[in-house]
Amino acid sequence: NFMLTQPHSVSESPGKTVTISCTRSSGSIASNSVQWFQQRPGSSPTTMIYEDNRRPSGVPDRFSGSIDNSSNSASLTISGLKTEDEADYYCQSYDNNNRNWLFGGGTKLTVL
Amino acid sequence: QVQLVQSGAEVKKPGASVKVSCKVSGYTLTELSMHWVRQAPGKGLEWMGNFDPEHGGSIYAQKFQHRVTMTEDPSTDTAYMELSSLRSEDTALYYCATPVVLPALDYWGQGTLVTVSS
């Protein structure tokens, strides 16, 4: 079993770029795809990135995903920050050993 | 248009059980793999399990292994999640979610608030 660890919070100014990390505790980050979800207060989560770096239609290209084998982590990068990007972001992956899905602890993004 | 519509809020006493429903419209339930995710107040998302049609049964997170049952009624396209032996820590918003278009949880219900209080 492994865990996905995210920073509790990040903040950045409008127009800037922010990166949120998601570190896998054991096993290779490349073993299973990573998804990223955005959750605004009072709303259900929405998919922003799937299969590490693929963007669903309708998601702005300001959002991008990547994985880094050297740090065993996935990252969500948001460029040209807007106040509407202020939300909680969760990474999610899959554990082959027990067929469980799991989420990272979530990162609160503040755009100020 | 795929929609997942969940049942209304519940208030339960410790030790009781709760059964949350999730009705699918715009798609056939048997073609989906319905997942259940919960979120305690002010906390993160927690995967509880899913009904896996490819394996013909449900997969549960170890934490809930002995207390949760996920079932489906294909005749009404409704999925159910029942959690037993409720305790105060089970107070949370419970979501159903499923991959439809994407290989990811791209459709979510609106959430059902379950409050456990004596």
mmCIF file of all heavy atoms in Angstrom, chain A residues 8-27:
data_model
loop_
_atom_site.group_PDB
_atom_site.id
_atom_site.type_symbol
_atom_site.label_atom_id
_atom_site.label_comp_id
_atom_site.label_asym_id
_atom_site.label_seq_id
_atom_site.Cartn_x
_atom_site.Cartn_y
_atom_site.Cartn_z
ATOM 1 N N HIS A 8 -0.223 21.049 2.161
ATOM 2 C CA HIS A 8 -1.522 21.420 2.709
ATOM 3 C C HIS A 8 -2.102 22.628 2.005
ATOM 4 O O HIS A 8 -3.323 22.690 1.735
ATOM 5 C CB HIS A 8 -1.388 21.700 4.199
ATOM 6 C CG HIS A 8 -2.684 22.045 4.857
ATOM 7 N ND1 HIS A 8 -3.701 21.131 5.048
ATOM 8 C CD2 HIS A 8 -3.135 23.213 5.367
ATOM 9 C CE1 HIS A 8 -4.722 21.729 5.641
ATOM 10 N NE2 HIS A 8 -4.406 22.979 5.853
ATOM 11 N N SER A 9 -1.238 23.591 1.681
ATOM 12 C CA SER A 9 -1.720 24.811 1.036
ATOM 13 C C SER A 9 -0.617 25.458 0.214
ATOM 14 O O SER A 9 0.571 25.270 0.493
ATOM 15 C CB SER A 9 -2.240 25.801 2.082
ATOM 16 O OG SER A 9 -1.194 26.216 2.932
ATOM 17 N N VAL A 10 -1.026 26.192 -0.804
ATOM 18 C CA VAL A 10 -0.128 27.018 -1.605
ATOM 19 C C VAL A 10 -0.861 28.307 -1.911
ATOM 20 O O VAL A 10 -2.098 28.336 -1.937
ATOM 21 C CB VAL A 10 0.304 26.337 -2.926
ATOM 22 C CG1 VAL A 10 1.129 25.093 -2.659
ATOM 23 C CG2 VAL A 10 -0.890 26.010 -3.790
ATOM 24 N N SER A 11 -0.092 29.354 -2.137
ATOM 25 C CA SER A 11 -0.707 30.619 -2.514
ATOM 26 C C SER A 11 0.171 31.330 -3.528
ATOM 27 O O SER A 11 1.400 31.165 -3.538
ATOM 28 C CB SER A 11 -0.934 31.505 -1.282
ATOM 29 O OG SER A 11 0.296 31.829 -0.672
ATOM 30 N N GLU A 12 -0.478 32.068 -4.375
ATOM 31 C CA GLU A 12 0.236 32.815 -5.418
ATOM 32 C C GLU A 12 -0.662 33.936 -5.903
ATOM 33 O O GLU A 12 -1.879 33.943 -5.647
ATOM 34 C CB GLU A 12 0.635 31.872 -6.557
ATOM 35 C CG GLU A 12 1.588 32.432 -7.602
ATOM 36 C CD GLU A 12 2.807 33.083 -6.998
ATOM 37 O OE1 GLU A 12 2.706 34.305 -6.696
ATOM 38 O OE2 GLU A 12 3.841 32.409 -6.830
ATOM 39 N N SER A 13 -0.043 34.863 -6.609
ATOM 40 C CA SER A 13 -0.770 36.041 -7.086
ATOM 41 C C SER A 13 -1.396 35.788 -8.446
ATOM 42 O O SER A 13 -0.918 34.938 -9.209
ATOM 43 C CB SER A 13 0.193 37.227 -7.195
ATOM 44 O OG SER A 13 0.811 37.480 -5.968
ATOM 45 N N PRO A 14 -2.441 36.526 -8.759
ATOM 46 C CA PRO A 14 -3.057 36.406 -10.092
ATOM 47 C C PRO A 14 -2.036 36.646 -11.187
ATOM 48 O O PRO A 14 -1.145 37.501 -11.061
ATOM 49 C CB PRO A 14 -4.127 37.505 -10.076
ATOM 50 C CG PRO A 14 -4.464 37.688 -8.640
ATOM 51 C CD PRO A 14 -3.176 37.475 -7.900
ATOM 52 N N GLY A 15 -2.148 35.830 -12.258
ATOM 53 C CA GLY A 15 -1.243 35.969 -13.390
ATOM 54 C C GLY A 15 0.020 35.150 -13.269
ATOM 55 O O GLY A 15 0.709 34.899 -14.271
ATOM 56 N N LYS A 16 0.328 34.717 -12.063
ATOM 57 C CA LYS A 16 1.541 33.913 -11.843
ATOM 58 C C LYS A 16 1.283 32.435 -12.121
ATOM 59 O O LYS A 16 0.179 32.043 -12.504
ATOM 60 C CB LYS A 16 2.025 34.089 -10.398
ATOM 61 C CG LYS A 16 2.391 35.517 -10.039
ATOM 62 C CD LYS A 16 3.634 35.970 -10.765
ATOM 63 C CE LYS A 16 4.110 37.308 -10.219
ATOM 64 N NZ LYS A 16 5.347 37.773 -10.910
ATOM 65 N N THR A 17 2.320 31.616 -11.929
ATOM 66 C CA THR A 17 2.239 30.176 -12.112
ATOM 67 C C THR A 17 2.472 29.468 -10.784
ATOM 68 O O THR A 17 3.345 29.873 -10.010
ATOM 69 C CB THR A 17 3.293 29.693 -13.128
ATOM 70 O OG1 THR A 17 3.016 30.288 -14.408
ATOM 71 C CG2 THR A 17 3.292 28.178 -13.254
ATOM 72 N N VAL A 18 1.678 28.436 -10.524
ATOM 73 C CA VAL A 18 1.838 27.657 -9.296
ATOM 74 C C VAL A 18 1.887 26.171 -9.652
ATOM 75 O O VAL A 18 1.254 25.733 -10.618
ATOM 76 C CB VAL A 18 0.687 27.949 -8.311
ATOM 77 C CG1 VAL A 18 -0.623 27.358 -8.805
ATOM 78 C CG2 VAL A 18 0.994 27.408 -6.921
ATOM 79 N N THR A 19 2.664 25.436 -8.895
ATOM 80 C CA THR A 19 2.756 23.993 -9.083
ATOM 81 C C THR A 19 2.426 23.287 -7.778
ATOM 82 O O THR A 19 2.957 23.629 -6.716
ATOM 83 C CB THR A 19 4.164 23.590 -9.549
ATOM 84 O OG1 THR A 19 4.424 24.189 -10.829
ATOM 85 C CG2 THR A 19 4.281 22.079 -9.668
ATOM 86 N N ILE A 20 1.534 22.308 -7.860
ATOM 87 C CA ILE A 20 1.142 21.508 -6.698
ATOM 88 C C ILE A 20 1.699 20.103 -6.880
ATOM 89 O O ILE A 20 1.473 19.479 -7.927
ATOM 90 C CB ILE A 20 -0.390 21.463 -6.565
ATOM 91 C CG1 ILE A 20 -0.944 22.881 -6.380
ATOM 92 C CG2 ILE A 20 -0.807 20.560 -5.413
ATOM 93 C CD1 ILE A 20 -2.467 22.959 -6.434
ATOM 94 N N SER A 21 2.399 19.617 -5.890
ATOM 95 C CA SER A 21 3.033 18.307 -5.999
ATOM 96 C C SER A 21 2.196 17.223 -5.324
ATOM 97 O O SER A 21 1.361 17.495 -4.451
ATOM 98 C CB SER A 21 4.426 18.336 -5.376
ATOM 99 O OG SER A 21 4.321 18.628 -3.986
ATOM 100 N N CYS A 22 2.447 15.995 -5.734
ATOM 101 C CA CYS A 22 1.766 14.813 -5.195
ATOM 102 C C CYS A 22 2.793 13.689 -5.197
ATOM 103 O O CYS A 22 3.122 13.149 -6.255
ATOM 104 C CB CYS A 22 0.573 14.485 -6.092
ATOM 105 S SG CYS A 22 -0.264 12.911 -5.768
ATOM 106 N N THR A 23 3.325 13.373 -4.027
ATOM 107 C CA THR A 23 4.419 12.418 -3.924
ATOM 108 C C THR A 23 3.925 11.046 -3.485
ATOM 109 O O THR A 23 3.201 10.927 -2.488
ATOM 110 C CB THR A 23 5.475 12.918 -2.925
ATOM 111 O OG1 THR A 23 5.959 14.201 -3.355
ATOM 112 C CG2 THR A 23 6.654 11.954 -2.846
ATOM 113 N N ARG A 24 4.332 10.036 -4.245
ATOM 114 C CA ARG A 24 3.930 8.665 -3.933
ATOM 115 C C ARG A 24 4.942 8.073 -2.959
ATOM 116 O O ARG A 24 6.149 8.133 -3.188
ATOM 117 C CB ARG A 24 3.843 7.845 -5.224
ATOM 118 C CG ARG A 24 3.491 6.387 -5.023
ATOM 119 C CD ARG A 24 3.106 5.723 -6.309
ATOM 120 N NE ARG A 24 3.049 4.267 -6.168
ATOM 121 C CZ ARG A 24 2.358 3.454 -6.965
ATOM 122 N NH1 ARG A 24 1.674 3.945 -7.980
ATOM 123 N NH2 ARG A 24 2.369 2.156 -6.755
ATOM 124 N N SER A 25 4.437 7.441 -1.883
ATOM 125 C CA SER A 25 5.315 6.995 -0.798
ATOM 126 C C SER A 25 6.120 5.753 -1.127
ATOM 127 O O SER A 25 7.240 5.578 -0.620
ATOM 128 C CB SER A 25 4.482 6.729 0.461
ATOM 129 O OG SER A 25 3.529 5.710 0.217
ATOM 130 N N SER A 26 5.577 4.871 -1.955
ATOM 131 C CA SER A 26 6.310 3.657 -2.334
ATOM 132 C C SER A 26 5.810 3.193 -3.686
ATOM 133 O O SER A 26 4.676 3.494 -4.065
ATOM 134 C CB SER A 26 6.136 2.557 -1.279
ATOM 135 O OG SER A 26 4.788 2.175 -1.173
ATOM 136 N N GLY A 27 6.666 2.458 -4.378
ATOM 137 C CA GLY A 27 6.318 2.074 -5.742
ATOM 138 C C GLY A 27 6.514 3.249 -6.663
ATOM 139 O O GLY A 27 6.569 4.410 -6.234
#
